[in-house]
Coordinates of all heavy atoms in Angstrom, one line a residue:
M850 N 39.5 28.9 1.7 CA 38.5 28.7 2.7 C 37.3 27.9 2.1 O 37.1 27.9 0.9 CB 38.0 30.1 3.1 CG 37.5 30.9 2.0 SD 37.0 32.5 2.5 CE 37.2 33.5 1.1
T851 N 36.5 27.3 2.9 CA 35.4 26.6 2.4 C 34.1 27.3 2.7 O 33.9 28.0 3.6 CB 35.3 25.2 3.1 OG1 35.1 25.4 4.5 CG2 36.6 24.4 2.9
A852 N 33.2 27.1 1.7 CA 31.9 27.8 1.9 C 30.7 26.8 2.1 O 29.6 27.1 1.9 CB 31.6 28.6 0.6
E853 N 31.1 25.6 2.6 CA 30.1 24.6 2.7 C 29.3 24.8 4.0 O 29.8 25.1 5.1 CB 30.7 23.2 2.8 CG 31.4 22.8 1.5 CD 32.0 21.4 1.7 OE1 31.4 20.5 2.3 OE2 33.1 21.2 1.1
A854 N 28.0 24.8 3.9 CA 27.1 24.9 5.0 C 26.9 23.5 5.6 O 26.8 22.6 4.8 CB 25.8 25.6 4.6
P855 N 26.8 23.4 6.9 CA 26.5 22.1 7.4 C 25.1 21.6 7.0 O 24.1 22.4 7.0 CB 26.5 22.3 8.9 CG 26.3 23.8 9.1 CD 26.9 24.4 7.9
S856 N 25.0 20.4 6.5 CA 23.7 19.9 6.0 C 23.0 19.1 7.1 O 23.6 18.2 7.7 CB 23.9 19.0 4.8 OG 24.8 17.9 5.1
S857 N 21.8 19.5 7.3 CA 21.0 18.8 8.3 C 20.1 17.8 7.6 O 19.5 18.1 6.6 CB 20.1 19.8 9.1 OG 19.3 20.5 8.3
S858 N 20.1 16.6 8.1 CA 19.3 15.5 7.4 C 17.8 15.6 7.8 O 17.6 15.7 9.0 CB 19.8 14.2 7.7 OG 19.9 14.0 9.1
P859 N 16.9 15.7 6.9 CA 15.5 15.7 7.2 C 15.1 14.4 7.9 O 15.6 13.4 7.6 CB 14.8 15.9 5.9 CG 15.8 15.3 4.9 CD 17.2 15.6 5.4
S860 N 14.1 14.6 8.8 CA 13.6 13.4 9.5 C 12.4 12.9 8.8 O 11.3 13.4 9.0 CB 13.3 13.8 10.9 OG 12.7 12.7 11.6
A861 N 12.6 11.9 7.9 CA 11.4 11.4 7.1 C 10.4 10.7 8.1 O 9.2 10.7 7.8 CB 11.9 10.4 6.1
A862 N 10.9 10.1 9.1 CA 10.0 9.3 10.0 C 9.0 10.3 10.7 O 7.8 10.0 10.7 CB 10.8 8.6 11.0
S863 N 9.5 11.3 11.3 CA 8.6 12.2 12.0 C 7.7 13.0 11.0 O 6.6 13.3 11.4 CB 9.4 13.2 12.8 OG 10.3 14.0 12.0
E864 N 8.2 13.2 9.8 CA 7.4 13.8 8.8 C 6.2 12.9 8.5 O 5.0 13.4 8.3 CB 8.2 14.1 7.6 CG 7.4 14.9 6.5 CD 8.2 15.1 5.2 OE1 9.5 15.2 5.4 OE2 7.6 15.2 4.2
A865 N 6.4 11.6 8.3 CA 5.3 10.7 8.0 C 4.3 10.6 9.1 O 3.1 10.5 8.9 CB 5.9 9.3 7.8
A866 N 4.8 10.8 10.4 CA 3.8 10.7 11.5 C 2.8 11.9 11.5 O 1.8 11.8 12.1 CB 4.6 10.7 12.8
T867 N 3.2 13.0 10.9 CA 2.3 14.1 10.9 C 1.7 14.4 9.5 O 1.1 15.4 9.3 CB 3.0 15.3 11.4 OG1 4.2 15.6 10.7 CG2 3.4 15.2 12.9
N868 N 2.0 13.6 8.6 CA 1.5 13.8 7.2 C 0.0 13.6 7.1 O -0.5 12.5 7.4 CB 2.3 12.8 6.3 CG 2.0 13.1 4.8 OD1 1.0 13.7 4.5 ND2 2.9 12.6 4.0
P869 N -0.7 14.6 6.7 CA -2.2 14.5 6.6 C -2.6 13.6 5.4 O -3.7 13.2 5.3 CB -2.6 15.9 6.5 CG -1.5 16.6 5.8 CD -0.2 15.9 6.3
N870 N -1.7 13.4 4.4 CA -2.0 12.7 3.2 C -1.7 11.2 3.4 O -1.1 10.6 2.5 CB -1.3 13.3 2.0 CG -1.6 14.7 1.8 OD1 -2.8 15.1 1.9 ND2 -0.6 15.5 1.6
L871 N -2.2 10.6 4.5 CA -1.9 9.2 4.7 C -3.1 8.4 4.3 O -4.2 8.8 4.4 CB -1.6 9.0 6.2 CG -0.3 9.5 6.8 CD1 -0.3 9.4 8.3 CD2 0.9 8.9 6.1
A872 N -2.8 7.2 3.8 CA -3.9 6.2 3.6 C -4.3 5.8 5.0 O -3.6 5.7 5.9 CB -3.3 5.1 2.8
H873 N -5.6 5.5 5.1 CA -6.2 5.1 6.4 C -7.1 3.9 6.0 O -8.2 4.0 5.5 CB -7.0 6.2 6.9 CG -7.6 5.9 8.3 ND1 -6.9 6.0 9.5 CD2 -8.9 5.6 8.6 CE1 -7.7 5.7 10.5 NE2 -8.9 5.4 10.0
L874 N -6.6 2.7 6.3 CA -7.3 1.5 5.9 C -7.5 0.5 7.1 O -6.8 0.5 8.0 CB -6.6 0.7 4.8 CG -6.6 1.3 3.4 CD1 -5.9 0.4 2.5 CD2 -8.1 1.5 3.0
R875 N -8.6 -0.3 7.0 CA -8.9 -1.3 8.0 C -8.8 -2.6 7.3 O -9.3 -2.9 6.2 CB -10.3 -1.1 8.5 CG -10.6 -1.5 9.9 CD -12.0 -1.2 10.4 NE -12.3 0.3 10.1 CZ -13.5 0.7 10.0 NH1 -14.5 -0.1 10.1 NH2 -13.7 2.0 9.8
F876 N -8.1 -3.5 8.1 CA -7.9 -4.9 7.5 C -8.4 -5.9 8.5 O -8.3 -5.7 9.7 CB -6.4 -5.1 7.3 CG -5.6 -4.1 6.4 CD1 -5.0 -3.0 7.0 CD2 -5.6 -4.4 5.1 CE1 -4.4 -2.1 6.2 CE2 -4.9 -3.5 4.2 CZ -4.3 -2.3 4.8
D877 N -8.9 -7.0 8.0 CA -9.2 -8.1 8.9 C -7.9 -8.8 9.3 O -7.0 -8.9 8.4 CB -10.2 -9.1 8.2 CG -11.6 -8.5 8.1 OD1 -11.9 -7.6 8.8 OD2 -12.3 -9.0 7.2
V878 N -7.8 -9.2 10.5 CA -6.7 -9.9 11.0 C -7.1 -11.3 11.6 O -8.1 -11.3 12.4 CB -5.9 -9.1 12.1 CG1 -4.7 -9.9 12.5 CG2 -5.5 -7.8 11.6
R879 N -6.5 -12.3 11.1 CA -6.8 -13.7 11.6 C -5.7 -14.2 12.5 O -4.5 -13.9 12.3 CB -7.0 -14.6 10.4 CG -8.2 -14.2 9.5 CD -9.5 -14.3 10.2 NE -10.6 -13.8 9.4 CZ -11.2 -14.4 8.3 NH1 -10.8 -15.6 8.0 NH2 -12.1 -13.8 7.7
G880 N -6.1 -15.0 13.5 CA -5.2 -15.7 14.3 C -4.9 -15.1 15.7 O -4.2 -15.7 16.5
M881 N -5.5 -14.0 16.0 CA -5.3 -13.4 17.3 C -6.3 -14.0 18.4 O -7.5 -14.1 18.1 CB -5.5 -11.9 17.3 CG -4.6 -11.2 16.3 SD -4.9 -9.4 16.4 CE -6.6 -9.2 15.9
T882 N -5.8 -14.3 19.6 CA -6.7 -14.8 20.6 C -6.5 -14.1 21.9 O -7.3 -14.4 22.8 CB -6.4 -16.3 20.8 OG1 -5.0 -16.5 21.1 CG2 -6.7 -17.2 19.6
C883 N -5.6 -13.2 22.0 CA -5.4 -12.5 23.3 C -4.9 -11.1 23.1 O -4.5 -10.8 22.0 CB -4.5 -13.3 24.3 SG -2.8 -13.2 23.9
A884 N -4.8 -10.4 24.2 CA -4.3 -9.0 24.2 C -2.8 -9.0 23.7 O -2.4 -8.0 23.1 CB -4.4 -8.3 25.5
S885 N -2.0 -10.0 24.0 CA -0.6 -10.0 23.6 C -0.5 -10.2 22.1 O 0.4 -9.7 21.5 CB 0.1 -11.1 24.3 OG 0.2 -10.9 25.7
C886 N -1.5 -11.0 21.6 CA -1.5 -11.1 20.1 C -1.7 -9.7 19.5 O -1.1 -9.4 18.5 CB -2.7 -12.0 19.7 SG -2.6 -13.7 20.2
V887 N -2.6 -9.0 20.1 CA -2.9 -7.6 19.5 C -1.6 -6.8 19.5 O -1.3 -6.1 18.5 CB -4.0 -7.0 20.4 CG1 -4.1 -5.5 20.0 CG2 -5.3 -7.7 20.2
R888 N -0.9 -6.8 20.6 CA 0.3 -6.0 20.7 C 1.3 -6.5 19.6 O 2.0 -5.7 19.0 CB 1.0 -6.2 22.1 CG 0.2 -5.5 23.2 CD 0.3 -4.0 23.0 NE -0.1 -3.3 24.2 CZ 0.7 -3.1 25.3 NH1 1.9 -3.5 25.3 NH2 0.3 -2.4 26.3
R889 N 1.4 -7.8 19.4 CA 2.4 -8.3 18.4 C 2.0 -7.8 17.1 O 2.9 -7.4 16.3 CB 2.3 -9.8 18.5 CG 3.0 -10.4 19.7 CD 2.8 -11.9 19.7 NE 3.3 -12.5 21.0 CZ 3.3 -13.8 21.2 NH1 2.8 -14.6 20.4 NH2 3.9 -14.2 22.4
V890 N 0.7 -7.8 16.7 CA 0.3 -7.4 15.4 C 0.5 -5.9 15.3 O 1.0 -5.4 14.2 CB -1.1 -7.7 15.1 CG1 -1.6 -7.1 13.8 CG2 -1.3 -9.2 15.1
E891 N 0.2 -5.1 16.3 CA 0.4 -3.7 16.3 C 1.9 -3.3 16.1 O 2.3 -2.4 15.3 CB -0.1 -3.0 17.6 CG -1.6 -2.9 17.6 CD -2.1 -2.3 18.9 OE1 -1.4 -2.3 19.9 OE2 -3.3 -1.9 18.9
R892 N 2.8 -4.1 16.8 CA 4.2 -3.8 16.7 C 4.7 -4.2 15.3 O 5.6 -3.5 14.7 CB 5.0 -4.6 17.7 CG 4.8 -4.0 19.1 CD 5.5 -4.8 20.2 NE 6.9 -4.9 20.0 CZ 7.7 -4.0 20.6 NH1 7.3 -3.1 21.4 NH2 9.0 -4.1 20.4
A893 N 4.2 -5.3 14.8 CA 4.6 -5.7 13.4 C 4.2 -4.7 12.4 O 5.0 -4.3 11.5 CB 4.0 -7.1 13.1
L894 N 3.0 -4.2 12.5 CA 2.6 -3.2 11.5 C 3.3 -1.8 11.7 O 3.7 -1.2 10.8 CB 1.0 -2.9 11.7 CG 0.2 -4.1 11.2 CD1 -1.3 -3.9 11.6 CD2 0.2 -4.2 9.7
G895 N 3.4 -1.5 13.0 CA 4.1 -0.2 13.3 C 5.6 -0.2 12.9 O 6.1 0.9 12.7
G896 N 6.1 -1.4 12.8 CA 7.6 -1.4 12.4 C 7.8 -1.3 11.0 O 9.0 -1.2 10.5
V897 N 6.8 -1.4 10.2 CA 7.0 -1.3 8.7 C 7.3 0.2 8.3 O 6.6 1.1 8.8 CB 5.7 -1.8 8.0 CG1 5.8 -1.6 6.5 CG2 5.4 -3.2 8.3
D898 N 8.3 0.3 7.5 CA 8.7 1.7 7.1 C 7.5 2.3 6.3 O 7.0 1.7 5.3 CB 9.9 1.6 6.2 CG 10.5 3.0 5.9 OD1 10.5 3.8 6.9 OD2 10.9 3.2 4.8
G899 N 7.0 3.4 6.7 CA 5.9 4.1 6.0 C 4.6 4.0 6.8 O 3.7 4.7 6.4
V900 N 4.6 3.2 7.8 CA 3.4 3.2 8.7 C 3.5 4.2 9.8 O 4.5 4.3 10.5 CB 3.3 1.8 9.3 CG1 2.1 1.8 10.3 CG2 3.0 0.8 8.2
A901 N 2.5 5.1 9.8 CA 2.5 6.1 10.8 C 1.9 5.7 12.1 O 2.3 6.1 13.2 CB 1.8 7.4 10.3
H902 N 0.8 4.9 12.0 CA 0.1 4.4 13.2 C -0.7 3.1 12.8 O -1.2 3.0 11.7 CB -0.8 5.5 13.7 CG -1.6 5.1 14.9 ND1 -1.0 5.1 16.2 CD2 -2.9 4.7 15.1 CE1 -1.9 4.7 17.0 NE2 -3.0 4.4 16.4
A903 N -0.7 2.2 13.8 CA -1.5 1.0 13.6 C -2.2 0.7 14.9 O -1.5 0.7 16.0 CB -0.6 -0.1 13.2
S904 N -3.5 0.4 14.9 CA -4.2 0.0 16.1 C -5.0 -1.3 15.7 O -5.5 -1.4 14.7 CB -5.1 1.1 16.7 OG -6.1 1.4 15.7
V905 N -5.0 -2.2 16.7 CA -5.7 -3.5 16.4 C -6.7 -3.7 17.4 O -6.6 -3.4 18.6 CB -4.6 -4.6 16.4 CG1 -5.3 -6.0 16.4 CG2 -3.6 -4.4 15.3
N906 N -7.9 -4.2 17.0 CA -9.0 -4.5 17.8 C -9.2 -6.0 17.9 O -9.5 -6.6 16.8 CB -10.3 -3.8 17.3 CG -11.5 -3.9 18.3 OD1 -11.8 -5.1 18.6 ND2 -12.0 -2.8 18.7
L907 N -9.1 -6.6 19.0 CA -9.2 -8.0 19.2 C -10.6 -8.5 18.9 O -10.9 -9.5 18.3 CB -8.7 -8.5 20.6 CG -8.8 -9.9 20.9 CD1 -8.0 -10.8 19.9 CD2 -8.4 -10.2 22.3
A908 N -11.6 -7.8 19.4 CA -13.0 -8.2 19.3 C -13.5 -8.2 17.9 O -14.2 -9.2 17.5 CB -13.9 -7.3 20.2
T909 N -13.1 -7.2 17.1 CA -13.5 -7.2 15.7 C -12.5 -7.9 14.8 O -12.8 -8.0 13.6 CB -13.7 -5.7 15.3 OG1 -12.4 -5.0 15.3 CG2 -14.7 -5.0 16.1
E910 N -11.4 -8.2 15.4 CA -10.3 -8.8 14.6 C -9.9 -7.9 13.4 O -9.8 -8.4 12.2 CB -10.7 -10.2 14.1 CG -10.8 -11.2 15.2 CD -10.9 -12.6 14.7 OE1 -12.1 -13.0 14.3 OE2 -10.0 -13.4 14.6
Q911 N -9.8 -6.6 13.7 CA -9.4 -5.7 12.6 C -8.3 -4.8 13.0 O -8.1 -4.4 14.2 CB -10.6 -4.8 12.3 CG -11.7 -5.6 11.5 CD -12.8 -4.7 11.1 OE1 -13.2 -3.7 11.8 NE2 -13.4 -4.9 9.9
A912 N -7.4 -4.5 12.0 CA -6.3 -3.6 12.2 C -6.6 -2.3 11.5 O -7.0 -2.4 10.3 CB -5.0 -4.2 11.7
T913 N -6.5 -1.1 12.1 CA -6.6 0.1 11.4 C -5.2 0.7 11.3 O -4.5 0.9 12.3 CB -7.5 1.1 12.3 OG1 -8.8 0.4 12.4 CG2 -7.7 2.4 11.5
V914 N -4.9 1.0 10.1 CA -3.5 1.4 9.8 C -3.5 2.8 9.0 O -4.2 2.9 8.0 CB -2.7 0.4 9.0 CG1 -1.3 0.7 8.9 CG2 -2.9 -1.0 9.6
D915 N -2.6 3.7 9.5 CA -2.4 4.9 8.8 C -1.0 4.8 8.2 O 0.0 4.5 8.9 CB -2.4 6.1 9.7 CG -3.7 6.4 10.4 OD1 -4.7 6.0 9.8 OD2 -3.7 6.8 11.5
F916 N -0.9 4.9 6.8 CA 0.4 4.7 6.2 C 0.5 5.5 4.9 O -0.4 6.0 4.3 CB 0.6 3.2 5.9 CG -0.5 2.6 5.0 CD1 -0.3 2.5 3.7 CD2 -1.7 2.2 5.5 CE1 -1.2 1.9 2.8 CE2 -2.7 1.7 4.7 CZ -2.4 1.5 3.3
D917 N 1.8 5.7 4.6 CA 2.1 6.3 3.3 C 1.5 5.6 2.2 O 1.7 4.3 2.0 CB 3.7 6.3 3.2 CG 4.2 7.1 2.0 OD1 3.4 7.2 1.0 OD2 5.3 7.5 2.0
P918 N 0.7 6.2 1.3 CA 0.0 5.5 0.2 C 1.0 4.9 -0.8 O 0.6 4.0 -1.5 CB -0.8 6.6 -0.5 CG -0.7 7.8 0.4 CD 0.4 7.6 1.4
A919 N 2.3 5.3 -0.7 CA 3.2 4.7 -1.6 C 3.6 3.3 -1.2 O 4.2 2.5 -1.9 CB 4.5 5.6 -1.7
L920 N 3.3 3.0 0.1 CA 3.6 1.7 0.6 C 2.7 0.6 0.0 O 1.5 0.7 0.0 CB 3.4 1.7 2.2 CG 3.6 0.4 2.9 CD1 5.1 -0.1 2.8 CD2 3.3 0.7 4.4
D921 N 3.4 -0.5 -0.4 CA 2.6 -1.6 -0.9 C 2.0 -2.4 0.2 O 2.7 -2.8 1.2 CB 3.6 -2.5 -1.7 CG 2.9 -3.6 -2.5 OD1 1.8 -4.0 -2.1 OD2 3.4 -4.0 -3.5
V922 N 0.7 -2.6 0.2 CA 0.0 -3.2 1.3 C 0.5 -4.7 1.5 O 0.3 -5.2 2.6 CB -1.5 -3.2 1.2 CG1 -2.0 -1.8 1.4 CG2 -2.0 -3.8 -0.1
T923 N 1.0 -5.3 0.5 CA 1.6 -6.6 0.6 C 2.7 -6.6 1.6 O 3.0 -7.7 2.3 CB 2.0 -7.2 -0.7 OG1 3.0 -6.4 -1.3 CG2 0.8 -7.3 -1.7
T924 N 3.4 -5.5 1.8 CA 4.4 -5.4 2.8 C 3.9 -5.5 4.2 O 4.4 -6.1 5.1 CB 5.2 -4.0 2.6 OG1 5.6 -3.9 1.3 CG2 6.3 -3.9 3.6
L925 N 2.7 -4.9 4.4 CA 2.0 -5.0 5.7 C 1.6 -6.5 6.0 O 1.8 -7.0 7.1 CB 0.7 -4.2 5.7 CG 0.9 -2.7 5.5 CD1 -0.5 -2.0 5.4 CD2 1.8 -2.1 6.6
R926 N 1.1 -7.1 4.9 CA 0.7 -8.5 5.1 C 1.9 -9.4 5.5 O 1.9 -10.3 6.3 CB 0.1 -9.0 3.8 CG -0.4 -10.5 4.0 CD -1.2 -11.0 2.8 NE -0.5 -10.9 1.6 CZ -1.1 -11.2 0.4 NH1 -2.3 -11.5 0.3 NH2 -0.4 -11.1 -0.7
A927 N 3.1 -9.1 4.8 CA 4.3 -9.9 5.1 C 4.8 -9.7 6.5 O 5.2 -10.6 7.1 CB 5.4 -9.5 4.1
A928 N 4.7 -8.4 7.0 CA 5.1 -8.2 8.4 C 4.2 -8.9 9.4 O 4.7 -9.5 10.4 CB 5.1 -6.7 8.6
V929 N 2.9 -8.9 9.1 CA 2.0 -9.6 10.1 C 2.2 -11.1 10.0 O 2.2 -11.8 11.0 CB 0.6 -9.2 9.7 CG1 -0.4 -10.0 10.5 CG2 0.3 -7.7 10.0
D930 N 2.5 -11.6 8.8 CA 2.8 -13.0 8.6 C 4.0 -13.4 9.4 O 4.0 -14.5 10.0 CB 3.0 -13.3 7.1 CG 3.2 -14.8 6.8 OD1 2.2 -15.5 6.9 OD2 4.3 -15.2 6.6
R931 N 5.0 -12.6 9.4 CA 6.3 -12.9 10.1 C 6.0 -12.9 11.6 O 6.7 -13.7 12.4 CB 7.4 -11.9 9.8 CG 8.0 -12.1 8.5 CD 9.3 -11.3 8.4 NE 9.1 -9.8 8.5 CZ 8.8 -9.1 7.4 NH1 8.7 -9.6 6.2 NH2 8.6 -7.8 7.6
A932 N 5.0 -12.2 12.1 CA 4.7 -12.1 13.5 C 3.8 -13.3 13.9 O 3.6 -13.6 15.0 CB 4.0 -10.8 13.8
G933 N 3.3 -14.1 12.9 CA 2.6 -15.3 13.1 C 1.1 -15.1 13.0 O 0.3 -16.0 13.4
Y934 N 0.7 -14.0 12.3 CA -0.8 -13.8 12.1 C -1.1 -13.5 10.7 O -0.1 -13.4 9.8 CB -1.2 -12.6 13.0 CG -0.9 -12.9 14.5 CD1 0.3 -12.3 15.0 CD2 -1.7 -13.6 15.3 CE1 0.7 -12.6 16.3 CE2 -1.3 -13.9 16.6 CZ -0.1 -13.4 17.1 OH 0.2 -13.6 18.4
E935 N -2.3 -13.4 10.3 CA -2.7 -13.2 8.9 C -3.4 -11.9 8.7 O -4.5 -11.7 9.3 CB -3.5 -14.4 8.4 CG -3.9 -14.2 6.9 CD -4.9 -15.2 6.5 OE1 -5.4 -16.0 7.3 OE2 -5.3 -15.1 5.3
L936 N -2.9 -11.0 7.9 CA -3.6 -9.8 7.5 C -4.2 -10.0 6.2 O -3.6 -10.4 5.2 CB -2.5 -8.7 7.4 CG -3.1 -7.3 7.1 CD1 -3.7 -6.7 8.4 CD2 -2.1 -6.3 6.6
R937 N -5.6 -9.8 6.2 CA -6.3 -10.1 5.0 C -6.5 -8.8 4.2 O -7.0 -7.8 4.8 CB -7.7 -10.7 5.3 CG -7.5 -12.1 6.0 CD -8.8 -12.7 6.3 NE -9.6 -13.0 5.2 CZ -9.5 -14.2 4.5 NH1 -8.6 -15.1 4.9 NH2 -10.2 -14.5 3.5
L938 N -6.0 -8.8 3.0 CA -6.1 -7.5 2.2 C -7.4 -7.4 1.6 O -8.0 -8.3 1.1 CB -5.0 -7.6 1.1 CG -3.6 -7.7 1.6 CD1 -2.6 -7.7 0.5 CD2 -3.2 -6.6 2.6
P939 N -8.0 -6.2 1.7 CA -9.3 -5.9 1.1 C -9.3 -6.0 -0.4 O -8.3 -5.6 -1.0 CB -9.7 -4.5 1.6 CG -8.3 -3.9 1.8 CD -7.4 -4.9 2.2
D940 N -10.4 -6.5 -1.0 CA -10.5 -6.4 -2.4 C -10.7 -5.0 -2.9 O -11.4 -4.2 -2.3 CB -11.7 -7.3 -2.9 CG -11.4 -8.7 -2.6 OD1 -10.3 -9.2 -2.6 OD2 -12.4 -9.4 -2.3
A941 N -10.0 -4.6 -4.0 CA -10.1 -3.2 -4.4 C -11.5 -2.9 -4.8 O -12.3 -3.6 -5.4 CB -9.2 -3.1 -5.7
G942 N -12.0 -1.7 -4.2 CA -13.3 -1.2 -4.5 C -14.4 -1.8 -3.7 O -15.5 -1.3 -3.7
V943 N -14.1 -2.9 -3.0 CA -15.1 -3.5 -2.1 C -15.1 -2.9 -0.7 O -14.0 -2.9 -0.1 CB -14.9 -5.0 -2.1 CG1 -16.0 -5.7 -1.2 CG2 -15.0 -5.6 -3.5
D944 N -16.2 -2.5 -0.2 CA -16.2 -2.0 1.1 C -17.4 -2.5 1.9 O -18.4 -1.8 2.2 CB -16.3 -0.4 1.1 CG -16.2 0.2 2.4 OD1 -15.6 -0.5 3.3 OD2 -16.7 1.3 2.6
E945 N -17.4 -3.8 2.1 CA -18.5 -4.4 2.9 C -18.0 -4.9 4.2 O -16.9 -5.3 4.4 CB -19.1 -5.6 2.1 CG -18.1 -6.5 1.5 CD -18.8 -7.5 0.5 OE1 -20.0 -7.7 0.7 OE2 -18.1 -8.0 -0.4
A946 N -18.9 -4.9 5.2 CA -18.5 -5.3 6.5 C -18.4 -6.8 6.6 O -17.5 -7.4 7.1 CB -19.5 -4.8 7.6
Ligands
LIG756 MO1 -1.1 -15.3 24.5 MO2 -2.0 -14.6 22.0 O1 0.1 -16.7 24.6 O2 -1.4 -16.0 20.9 S1 0.0 -14.1 22.8 S2 -2.9 -16.2 23.2

């Protein structure tokens, strides 16, 4: 007889969505001119593995992203670049408007 218990796979994605230990950063985004651009950038960011939430503001040209701190932010930039826009990475330690 076998004593194996059925193994349930943990859902890493839903865990990340509720993880309180997320990085929360704002990035300048260049190249957006309309609401559809905003959607494209949000989808690009939201599709990156490790991103829990991304919201983009057209007026301020900024993206606010909640993500796993283990995620390399250059991955975010690459995803936005593929969508046709530019995510500007903040300089470390600098927090000026
Ligand atoms: Mo509408 Mo935004 O064509 O580039 S998506 S201006």
Side-chain angles (χ1 to χ4, degrees):
M850 58 180 153
T851 62
E853 292 180 42
S856 59
S857 58
S858 53
S860 174
S863 59
E864 184 181 332
T867 55
N868 188 337
N870 300 316
L871 291 171
H873 182 81
L874 286 182
R875 208 174 310 155
F876 303 92
D877 287 341
V878 181
R879 298 292 172 80
M881 300 184 298
T882 54
C883 77
S885 293
C886 294
V887 169
R888 288 291 194 84
R889 290 175 181 180
V890 174
E891 286 179 339
R892 289 174 64 90
L894 289 169
V897 174
D898 190 41
V900 172
H902 181 74
S904 63
V905 173
N906 185 305
L907 178 61
T909 62
E910 292 188 282
Q911 288 184 325
T913 302
V914 189
D915 297 329
F916 59 97
D917 184 336
L920 175 62
D921 189 331
V922 291
T923 60
T924 305
L925 298 177
R926 181 171 61 183
V929 172
D930 183 77
R931 282 195 297 273
Y934 306 93
E935 181 191 359
L936 186 77
R937 298 179 67 87
L938 301 181
D940 295 325
V943 178
D944 187 23
E945 46 188 336

